Amino acid sequence: SQQPDPLSVALSHTGSPASRKAEQELLDLLATHPDRLEAWYQLAMLTLRAGRHADAIAAFEKALSLDPQPAA
């Protein structure tokens, strides 16, 4: 059977009580797949919502470094 996409698993835990679990799953994913733009973006949004602005900026900057072109 096919394994679920790690990003989908992490995003399933983004509710408030599970946000720490989601963050850890995103970090685990990014440790092995640092080129996952969507994971960096989701990590940025998660840390922004948590009020951790420095962490959010760092994650947004990493996402932008992977794809500096704005969405059309």
Side-chain angles (χ1 to χ4, degrees), residues 7-72:
L7 181 58
S8 297
V9 172
L11 294 179
S12 73
H13 296 111
T14 57
S16 181
S19 62
R20 281 307 223 176
K21 182 172 178 59
E23 182 178 351
Q24 188 56 56
E25 289 178 354
L26 286 167
L27 291 171
D28 290 348
L29 170 63
L30 290 166
T32 56
H33 297 90
D35 59 338
R36 294 287 299 263
L37 172 65
E38 179 67 15
W40 283 109
Y41 173 78
Q42 292 299 332
L43 180 62
M45 294 302 295
L46 188 71
T47 54
L48 181 65
R49 283 191 298 270
R52 295 176 26 226
H53 300 128
D55 292 336
I57 289 169
F60 277 126
E61 287 176 342
K62 180 61 179 176
L64 283 171
S65 76
L66 294 171
D67 184 9
Q69 299 301 316

